[in-house]
Amino acid sequence: MALRSNPTFRQRRLGAELRRMREQAGLGGSELARALGINPAHVTQMESGKTGISVERLRTIAALCMCVNEPLIDALADIISGRDKGGWWEDYRGRLAQHFLEMAEIEGRAHGLSTYTMAFIPGLLQTTAYASAVFARGFPLLPHHEVDLRTAFRIQRQQVVRSGETPYSAYIHEAALRMQFSGPKVQAEQLGSLIEDSERSTISVRVVLFDVDTLPVNYENFTYAEGPVPELDTAQMDSGLGSVLYDAPAHTAQFRSLLDRIDSAALSEEESREFIQSIKKDMESKDV
């Protein structure tokens, strides 16, 4: 079997979980290889996502590693069964950087999504005009065709939450509501769209006010994607240099704890709608 030169996120995640399973059992790669009757290099390739495995081999590895977490094993088996089924984001492969596609894949496979943003409205709830303005303000500046491509991709990503397929909780800092990327008119239209989205049964929008002083400042923008089991949850955090993914249990537990703190500090859904409406009116008064 030819090795994959560029494994997808799910293929790499499967390999990472196999490695975690082996390490938790205290087995070295060579030990597992001997038990399976394969070359140690093959174990490395499986754990890096560069080669696939069958469901039968997965269950054999789980038994050798004394893993009795059946929900996790079943979830990994589902990844194997569907690993070659690409999503709509594959149409953008070769046109956008890998991390864009990985984020769409994570969102598309998630059983629930939560985001926290301080600098901008969450991408999954942005209007076309607002998204274009955000991309156009990047540094270094992007050419127009690249702005259009990224905007189209972002709008298509939104289907996963606007369709009602995936429950979504958006926690938005007051700063993001007031930050203008293309003037008060675009911002007012964005806030109006945000209010409409907040009335959907599967979308929750909660505002964190300026006067909340109990949240850490080093988690400005992040997404938390729930997997079929907690062990397959993933957190993604934006930075000025790109996107970083976290799937280690200690990291995902940290993000879950942070979400609990944010949830406790945020306004209720109704209070948030009223607050967003007040800012929208302020923006409309400026656009006279």
Side-chain angles (χ1 to χ4, degrees):
M1 180 182 293
L3 296 182
R4 301 170 179 138
S5 59
N6 191 21
T8 67
F9 170 77
R10 289 211 307 163
Q11 290 163 346
R12 297 200 313 273
R13 184 63 186 272
L14 172 63
E17 293 303 321
L18 292 175
R19 183 180 66 253
R20 242 189 295 274
M21 191 181 294
R22 172 179 60 77
E23 291 174 346
Q24 288 175 352
L27 292 175
S30 296
E31 293 176 282
L32 181 60
R34 283 196 298 271
L36 292 172
I38 60 177
N39 191 294
H42 195 176
V43 172
T44 300
Q45 292 158 3
M46 287 190 301
E47 293 181 352
S48 64
K50 291 186 176 181
T51 189
I53 67 171
S54 65
V55 172
E56 291 74 18
R57 173 153 286 179
L58 164 68
R59 297 193 181 280
T60 298
I61 292 173
L64 291 172
C65 294
M66 297 174 287
C67 177
V68 294
N69 188 338
E70 287 300 328
L72 172 61
I73 296 169
D74 290 342
L76 295 177
D78 287 342
I79 291 178
I80 293 171
S81 300
R83 67 172 181 258
D84 294 323
K85 297 177 181 178
W88 61 266
W89 49 87
E90 291 298 330
D91 293 339
Y92 288 83
R93 190 168 295 280
R95 301 163 65 198
L96 286 173
Q98 180 74 10
H99 67 86
F100 286 101
L101 277 59
E102 289 181 343
M103 198 61 230
E105 182 179 3
I106 290 169
E107 293 166 346
R109 311 293 189 190
H111 286 225
L113 289 165
S114 298
T115 58
Y116 175 59
T117 55
M118 289 187 68
F120 45 77
I121 304 301
L124 292 175
L125 300 179
Q126 292 178 3
T127 64
T128 299
Y130 183 95
S132 293
V134 170
F135 285 126
R137 290 283 296 274
F139 183 81
L141 295 177
L142 295 171
H144 292 303
H145 73 273
E146 187 70 17
V147 170
D148 292 343
L149 178 63
R150 295 188 184 197
T151 300
F153 184 78
R154 175 160 291 181
I155 298 305
Q156 194 163 353
R157 278 174 49 204
Q158 297 173 355
Q159 180 62 21
V160 72
V161 295
R162 289 211 166 109
S163 66
E165 297 173 11
T166 307
Y168 177 45
S169 296
Y171 298 94
I172 308 173
H173 197 277
E174 181 180 348
L177 300 175
R178 298 186 183 278
M179 188 81 71
Q180 297 180 47
F181 290 93
S182 189
K185 181 179 180 180
V186 169
Q187 188 70 11
E189 291 173 348
Q190 172 63 77
L191 296 178
S193 177
L194 189 61
I195 292 170
E196 291 178 6
D197 283 330
S198 75
E199 294 170 343
R200 298 173 185 261
S201 61
T202 55
I203 296 178
S204 171
V205 175
R206 307 270 304 282
V207 174
V208 179
L209 297 177
F210 275 129
D211 59 8
V212 173
D213 61 0
T214 60
L215 299 179
V217 296
N218 54 333
Y219 290 87
E220 295 93 346
N221 307 294
F222 69 85
T223 297
Y224 193 90
E226 299 173 27
V229 294
E231 292 85 352
L232 295 181
D233 288 359
T234 304
Q236 177 265 346
M237 191 160 66
D238 289 323
S239 73
L241 298 178
S243 174
V244 182
L245 298 177
Y246 299 90
D247 57 32
H251 289 149
T252 54
Q254 185 175 1
F255 278 97
R256 284 196 299 270
S257 177
L258 180 56
L259 277 172
D260 287 342
R261 292 176 61 182
I262 294 171
D263 185 81
S264 298
L267 297 176
S268 69
E269 292 183 15
E270 186 57 38
E271 290 170 333
S272 295
R273 268 191 290 271
E274 292 175 358
F275 188 78
I276 295 169
Q277 182 64 40
S278 69
I279 299 179
K280 176 175 177 289
K281 289 181 178 179
D282 182 49
M283 293 293 170
E284 288 171 336
S285 69
K286 295 177 180 179
D287 184 42
V288 177

